[in-house]
Amino acid sequence: MKRIRVKNILIISLLTFSFFFTAFLPTGSKAPEFKLKKVVIDAGHGGRDPGALGSYSKEKDITLKVALQVGKYIEENLPDVEVIYTRKTDVAIDLKERPNIANRNKADLFISIHCNAATNRSAYGTETFVMGTKNFEANFDIVKRENSVIILEENYKENYEGFDPSSPESYMMFNLTHKAFLSNSLSLASKVENDFTSRVNRHSRGVKQAPLYVLWNSSMPSVLVELGFISNANEERYLNSKDGQTFLASAIYRSVKAYKEEIESL
């Protein structure tokens, strides 16, 4: 009995000493904080691919001007963020190559900039897409148009493994591999649309999900921004104006800044 008591005293003493001693030891290195270090900005279309056509302008020209301006704002005001462009001139970049540029550079964010179009010329407003299949049928016209640029590429059937942008069946391959990035993508998309309405006074058609190839093939949070309808006469004028491009670019920049602050505070 005495031996058991002595043994218990020794165990308690050892535990007490260990607890006291470890209180002065470092608790281990702090988990590394996530930083937004690289952003890839993709000006939609280009070169042989004009994108959507207005009455006097082309989508590829508007997207390039806005993309370069977004990048300039980030470079000037967020010097710790590296900006990478998929194109800086009027050149054709394969659809598959655009997200691959982001993947190769291990980017933290991918932003693809576009203009919308519709047969109904009264359609207007901005909208921002994230990768997903929610309400796929409702957004199929946009999905088909944005993905159909692959037809302009050489050997597109081989490069895209038989993917047909006009066939709903082809989209069965677009499972939600982006679930890991969906939350962050939605956060940025919401900030873009909120800024378009609250700061730029544009009509927002909301944040939407669609199986867009350029988003599906990227390995980071990604959004596709539709700046407005080039098929609408009033919006075409706005999209081609210096003020319009400046306001839209500044809204996207502010959203990136707010997104950066949000994820780096977690």
Side-chain angles (χ1 to χ4, degrees):
M1 190 71 164
K2 187 176 181 181
R3 288 177 62 187
I4 295 173
R5 190 181 299 117
V6 171
K7 185 178 180 182
N8 287 343
I9 292 171
L10 287 172
I11 291 173
I12 293 170
S13 300
L14 182 61
L15 290 173
T16 302
F17 177 78
S18 298
F19 177 80
F20 180 81
F21 182 74
T22 54
F24 294 92
L25 291 175
T27 57
S29 58
K30 187 178 178 183
E33 296 177 349
F34 180 79
K35 297 287 186 183
L36 182 65
K37 297 177 181 177
K38 290 183 184 179
V39 176
V40 169
I41 301 177
D42 172 43
H45 308 279
R48 63 179 179 269
D49 171 23
L53 300 175
S55 60
Y56 64 89
S57 62
K58 300 174 183 177
E59 178 181 4
K60 68 174 184 176
D61 299 322
I62 296 169
T63 60
L64 181 59
K65 290 176 181 177
V66 173
L68 292 175
Q69 203 155 346
V70 172
K72 181 182 177 185
Y73 288 142
I74 294 174
E75 289 165 343
E76 290 176 347
N77 299 290
L78 300 174
D80 57 329
V81 177
E82 179 184 355
V83 178
I84 299 165
Y85 303 89
T86 57
R87 68 181 182 99
K88 298 180 80 171
T89 58
D90 183 21
V91 294
I93 307 291
D94 287 353
L95 189 63
K96 201 170 187 176
E97 176 62 11
R98 295 171 187 270
N100 282 344
I101 291 172
N103 294 340
R104 284 197 302 272
N105 285 281
K106 295 181 171 56
D108 303 303
L109 199 59
F110 178 78
I111 303 171
S112 190
I113 298 176
H114 292 255
C115 296
N116 222 329
T119 52
N120 176 9
R121 295 190 175 274
S122 64
Y124 70 103
T126 65
E127 50 193 7
T128 300
F129 286 88
V130 300
M131 175 59 206
T133 53
K134 187 177 180 181
N135 299 323
F136 167 59
E137 291 182 4
N139 299 320
F140 188 52
D141 285 344
I142 292 174
V143 171
K144 201 163 44 171
R145 186 183 69 248
E146 295 296 357
N147 288 336
S148 67
V149 300
I150 67 172
I151 296 173
L152 300 175
E153 301 173 20
E154 293 182 10
N155 302 319
Y156 80 89
K157 288 185 178 179
E158 290 79 9
N159 291 338
Y160 294 89
E161 299 174 341
F163 172 70
D164 180 359
S166 64
S167 169
E169 289 75 23
S170 285
Y171 291 91
M172 292 177 68
M173 62 187 267
F174 283 74
N175 54 35
L176 278 180
T177 53
H178 265 239
K179 275 187 177 178
F181 309 119
L182 184 58
S183 178
N184 281 10
S185 299
L186 285 170
S187 175
L188 176 61
S190 297
K191 287 174 174 53
V192 171
E193 288 302 311
N194 288 337
D195 222 282
F196 279 159
T197 54
S198 64
R199 302 289 290 271
V200 190
N201 199 30
R202 307 307 295 168
H203 169 67
S204 172
R205 296 164 64 94
V207 174
K208 301 179 179 179
Q209 293 186 25
L212 298 163
Y213 201 98
V214 74
L215 300 181
W216 177 66
N217 223 28
S218 60
S219 301
M220 70 285 301
S222 309
V223 299
L224 185 145
V225 182
E226 297 279 8
L227 301 171
F229 282 77
I230 198 173
S231 51
N232 179 297
N234 290 331
E235 289 210 328
E236 183 180 17
R237 281 194 295 273
Y238 182 82
L239 292 169
N240 281 279
S241 69
K242 186 174 179 59
D243 283 349
Q245 292 170 2
T246 297
F247 293 150
L248 291 167
S250 62
I252 297 171
Y253 153 70
R254 282 192 299 268
S255 300
V256 171
K257 182 174 182 288
Y259 172 83
K260 180 179 188 294
E261 292 169 352
E262 178 182 82
I263 62 171
E264 292 183 358
S265 67
L266 298 176

mmCIF file of all heavy atoms in Angstrom, residues 30-53:
data_model
loop_
_atom_site.group_PDB
_atom_site.id
_atom_site.type_symbol
_atom_site.label_atom_id
_atom_site.label_comp_id
_atom_site.label_asym_id
_atom_site.label_seq_id
_atom_site.Cartn_x
_atom_site.Cartn_y
_atom_site.Cartn_z
ATOM 1 N N LYS A 30 3.784 29.055 -35.824
ATOM 2 C CA LYS A 30 2.426 29.454 -36.175
ATOM 3 C C LYS A 30 2.091 28.972 -37.585
ATOM 4 O O LYS A 30 2.924 28.982 -38.473
ATOM 5 C CB LYS A 30 2.331 30.992 -36.121
ATOM 6 C CG LYS A 30 0.924 31.516 -36.295
ATOM 7 C CD LYS A 30 0.931 33.031 -36.183
ATOM 8 C CE LYS A 30 -0.452 33.598 -36.406
ATOM 9 N NZ LYS A 30 -0.456 35.075 -36.361
ATOM 10 N N ALA A 31 0.872 28.534 -37.767
ATOM 11 C CA ALA A 31 0.451 28.073 -39.094
ATOM 12 C C ALA A 31 0.606 29.205 -40.097
ATOM 13 O O ALA A 31 0.278 30.353 -39.794
ATOM 14 C CB ALA A 31 -1.008 27.624 -39.039
ATOM 15 N N PRO A 32 1.160 28.918 -41.253
ATOM 16 C CA PRO A 32 1.377 29.978 -42.237
ATOM 17 C C PRO A 32 0.061 30.618 -42.671
ATOM 18 O O PRO A 32 -0.933 29.928 -42.904
ATOM 19 C CB PRO A 32 2.031 29.229 -43.414
ATOM 20 C CG PRO A 32 1.648 27.796 -43.229
ATOM 21 C CD PRO A 32 1.527 27.589 -41.763
ATOM 22 N N GLU A 33 0.053 31.934 -42.738
ATOM 23 C CA GLU A 33 -1.150 32.653 -43.149
ATOM 24 C C GLU A 33 -1.246 32.659 -44.669
ATOM 25 O O GLU A 33 -0.247 32.747 -45.361
ATOM 26 C CB GLU A 33 -1.091 34.092 -42.617
ATOM 27 C CG GLU A 33 -1.096 34.173 -41.101
ATOM 28 C CD GLU A 33 -0.963 35.609 -40.619
ATOM 29 O OE1 GLU A 33 -0.668 36.479 -41.457
ATOM 30 O OE2 GLU A 33 -1.137 35.845 -39.421
ATOM 31 N N PHE A 34 -2.480 32.610 -45.174
ATOM 32 C CA PHE A 34 -2.671 32.641 -46.612
ATOM 33 C C PHE A 34 -2.527 34.075 -47.115
ATOM 34 O O PHE A 34 -3.077 35.007 -46.534
ATOM 35 C CB PHE A 34 -4.057 32.105 -46.983
ATOM 36 C CG PHE A 34 -4.291 32.114 -48.466
ATOM 37 C CD1 PHE A 34 -3.758 31.124 -49.270
ATOM 38 C CD2 PHE A 34 -5.009 33.141 -49.071
ATOM 39 C CE1 PHE A 34 -3.950 31.133 -50.644
ATOM 40 C CE2 PHE A 34 -5.213 33.158 -50.433
ATOM 41 C CZ PHE A 34 -4.683 32.158 -51.223
ATOM 42 N N LYS A 35 -1.787 34.243 -48.181
ATOM 43 C CA LYS A 35 -1.592 35.556 -48.783
ATOM 44 C C LYS A 35 -2.000 35.523 -50.247
ATOM 45 O O LYS A 35 -1.773 34.524 -50.936
ATOM 46 C CB LYS A 35 -0.114 35.970 -48.697
ATOM 47 C CG LYS A 35 0.420 36.126 -47.279
ATOM 48 C CD LYS A 35 -0.104 37.373 -46.618
ATOM 49 C CE LYS A 35 0.553 37.591 -45.259
ATOM 50 N NZ LYS A 35 -0.006 38.779 -44.570
ATOM 51 N N LEU A 36 -2.596 36.600 -50.692
ATOM 52 C CA LEU A 36 -2.904 36.746 -52.115
ATOM 53 C C LEU A 36 -1.659 37.319 -52.779
ATOM 54 O O LEU A 36 -1.372 38.510 -52.661
ATOM 55 C CB LEU A 36 -4.103 37.673 -52.306
ATOM 56 C CG LEU A 36 -4.575 37.869 -53.755
ATOM 57 C CD1 LEU A 36 -5.100 36.566 -54.331
ATOM 58 C CD2 LEU A 36 -5.666 38.932 -53.829
ATOM 59 N N LYS A 37 -0.916 36.450 -53.467
ATOM 60 C CA LYS A 37 0.367 36.865 -54.023
ATOM 61 C C LYS A 37 0.341 37.047 -55.532
ATOM 62 O O LYS A 37 1.071 37.873 -56.069
ATOM 63 C CB LYS A 37 1.443 35.829 -53.666
ATOM 64 C CG LYS A 37 1.697 35.693 -52.172
ATOM 65 C CD LYS A 37 2.713 34.600 -51.894
ATOM 66 C CE LYS A 37 2.955 34.448 -50.404
ATOM 67 N NZ LYS A 37 3.900 33.337 -50.112
ATOM 68 N N LYS A 38 -0.494 36.239 -56.225
ATOM 69 C CA LYS A 38 -0.523 36.301 -57.690
ATOM 70 C C LYS A 38 -1.957 36.311 -58.198
ATOM 71 O O LYS A 38 -2.770 35.488 -57.782
ATOM 72 C CB LYS A 38 0.205 35.096 -58.308
ATOM 73 C CG LYS A 38 1.704 35.095 -58.117
ATOM 74 C CD LYS A 38 2.320 33.890 -58.827
ATOM 75 C CE LYS A 38 3.822 33.806 -58.566
ATOM 76 N NZ LYS A 38 4.407 32.617 -59.238
ATOM 77 N N VAL A 39 -2.226 37.240 -59.100
ATOM 78 C CA VAL A 39 -3.532 37.325 -59.738
ATOM 79 C C VAL A 39 -3.327 37.255 -61.250
ATOM 80 O O VAL A 39 -2.500 37.992 -61.802
ATOM 81 C CB VAL A 39 -4.253 38.639 -59.385
ATOM 82 C CG1 VAL A 39 -5.568 38.759 -60.146
ATOM 83 C CG2 VAL A 39 -4.506 38.735 -57.894
ATOM 84 N N VAL A 40 -4.064 36.376 -61.911
ATOM 85 C CA VAL A 40 -4.025 36.314 -63.367
ATOM 86 C C VAL A 40 -5.281 36.984 -63.905
ATOM 87 O O VAL A 40 -6.403 36.650 -63.513
ATOM 88 C CB VAL A 40 -3.940 34.858 -63.872
ATOM 89 C CG1 VAL A 40 -4.175 34.793 -65.383
ATOM 90 C CG2 VAL A 40 -2.573 34.274 -63.547
ATOM 91 N N ILE A 41 -5.077 37.953 -64.792
ATOM 92 C CA ILE A 41 -6.189 38.688 -65.402
ATOM 93 C C ILE A 41 -6.266 38.298 -66.871
ATOM 94 O O ILE A 41 -5.299 38.447 -67.626
ATOM 95 C CB ILE A 41 -6.008 40.205 -65.245
ATOM 96 C CG1 ILE A 41 -5.921 40.558 -63.762
ATOM 97 C CG2 ILE A 41 -7.174 40.948 -65.898
ATOM 98 C CD1 ILE A 41 -5.665 42.013 -63.497
ATOM 99 N N ASP A 42 -7.424 37.807 -67.250
ATOM 100 C CA ASP A 42 -7.635 37.281 -68.593
ATOM 101 C C ASP A 42 -8.587 38.190 -69.365
ATOM 102 O O ASP A 42 -9.762 38.301 -69.023
ATOM 103 C CB ASP A 42 -8.224 35.865 -68.478
ATOM 104 C CG ASP A 42 -8.670 35.312 -69.822
ATOM 105 O OD1 ASP A 42 -7.925 35.476 -70.809
ATOM 106 O OD2 ASP A 42 -9.762 34.702 -69.878
ATOM 107 N N ALA A 43 -8.069 38.848 -70.395
ATOM 108 C CA ALA A 43 -8.919 39.631 -71.301
ATOM 109 C C ALA A 43 -9.529 38.668 -72.308
ATOM 110 O O ALA A 43 -8.832 38.085 -73.137
ATOM 111 C CB ALA A 43 -8.089 40.701 -72.011
ATOM 112 N N GLY A 44 -10.835 38.489 -72.234
ATOM 113 C CA GLY A 44 -11.494 37.499 -73.081
ATOM 114 C C GLY A 44 -11.322 37.749 -74.569
ATOM 115 O O GLY A 44 -11.244 38.893 -75.017
ATOM 116 N N HIS A 45 -11.223 36.640 -75.331
ATOM 117 C CA HIS A 45 -11.153 36.664 -76.796
ATOM 118 C C HIS A 45 -9.842 37.314 -77.266
ATOM 119 O O HIS A 45 -8.889 37.361 -76.515
ATOM 120 C CB HIS A 45 -12.392 37.341 -77.371
ATOM 121 C CG HIS A 45 -13.661 36.738 -76.814
ATOM 122 N ND1 HIS A 45 -14.203 35.566 -77.285
ATOM 123 C CD2 HIS A 45 -14.450 37.132 -75.769
ATOM 124 C CE1 HIS A 45 -15.278 35.262 -76.581
ATOM 125 N NE2 HIS A 45 -15.448 36.186 -75.638
ATOM 126 N N GLY A 46 -9.786 37.803 -78.493
ATOM 127 C CA GLY A 46 -8.545 38.383 -79.013
ATOM 128 C C GLY A 46 -8.110 37.772 -80.322
ATOM 129 O O GLY A 46 -8.426 36.613 -80.626
ATOM 130 N N GLY A 47 -7.382 38.546 -81.124
ATOM 131 C CA GLY A 47 -6.873 38.059 -82.404
ATOM 132 C C GLY A 47 -8.002 37.685 -83.347
ATOM 133 O O GLY A 47 -8.910 38.470 -83.603
ATOM 134 N N ARG A 48 -7.939 36.449 -83.854
ATOM 135 C CA ARG A 48 -8.939 35.984 -84.818
ATOM 136 C C ARG A 48 -10.329 35.858 -84.206
ATOM 137 O O ARG A 48 -11.316 35.713 -84.916
ATOM 138 C CB ARG A 48 -8.523 34.613 -85.368
ATOM 139 C CG ARG A 48 -8.454 33.528 -84.305
ATOM 140 C CD ARG A 48 -8.062 32.168 -84.852
ATOM 141 N NE ARG A 48 -7.984 31.156 -83.799
ATOM 142 C CZ ARG A 48 -6.888 30.865 -83.115
ATOM 143 N NH1 ARG A 48 -5.765 31.507 -83.379
ATOM 144 N NH2 ARG A 48 -6.911 29.932 -82.170
ATOM 145 N N ASP A 49 -10.396 35.876 -82.893
ATOM 146 C CA ASP A 49 -11.667 35.730 -82.179
ATOM 147 C C ASP A 49 -12.119 37.090 -81.643
ATOM 148 O O ASP A 49 -11.619 37.549 -80.616
ATOM 149 C CB ASP A 49 -11.491 34.724 -81.031
ATOM 150 C CG ASP A 49 -12.698 34.679 -80.115
ATOM 151 O OD1 ASP A 49 -13.803 35.048 -80.559
ATOM 152 O OD2 ASP A 49 -12.528 34.271 -78.946
ATOM 153 N N PRO A 50 -13.078 37.747 -82.310
ATOM 154 C CA PRO A 50 -13.505 39.087 -81.874
ATOM 155 C C PRO A 50 -14.411 39.071 -80.657
ATOM 156 O O PRO A 50 -14.611 40.095 -80.012
ATOM 157 C CB PRO A 50 -14.268 39.609 -83.091
ATOM 158 C CG PRO A 50 -14.833 38.372 -83.728
ATOM 159 C CD PRO A 50 -13.785 37.306 -83.526
ATOM 160 N N GLY A 51 -14.961 37.896 -80.329
ATOM 161 C CA GLY A 51 -15.941 37.841 -79.255
ATOM 162 C C GLY A 51 -17.275 38.361 -79.740
ATOM 163 O O GLY A 51 -17.578 38.343 -80.940
ATOM 164 N N ALA A 52 -18.084 38.849 -78.829
ATOM 165 C CA ALA A 52 -19.394 39.392 -79.201
ATOM 166 C C ALA A 52 -19.214 40.693 -79.972
ATOM 167 O O ALA A 52 -18.269 41.457 -79.728
ATOM 168 C CB ALA A 52 -20.228 39.622 -77.949
ATOM 169 N N LEU A 53 -20.136 40.948 -80.898
ATOM 170 C CA LEU A 53 -20.051 42.151 -81.738
ATOM 171 C C LEU A 53 -21.184 43.112 -81.417
ATOM 172 O O LEU A 53 -22.345 42.709 -81.304
ATOM 173 C CB LEU A 53 -20.112 41.762 -83.217
ATOM 174 C CG LEU A 53 -19.006 40.821 -83.708
ATOM 175 C CD1 LEU A 53 -19.271 40.435 -85.162
ATOM 176 C CD2 LEU A 53 -17.641 41.470 -83.558
#
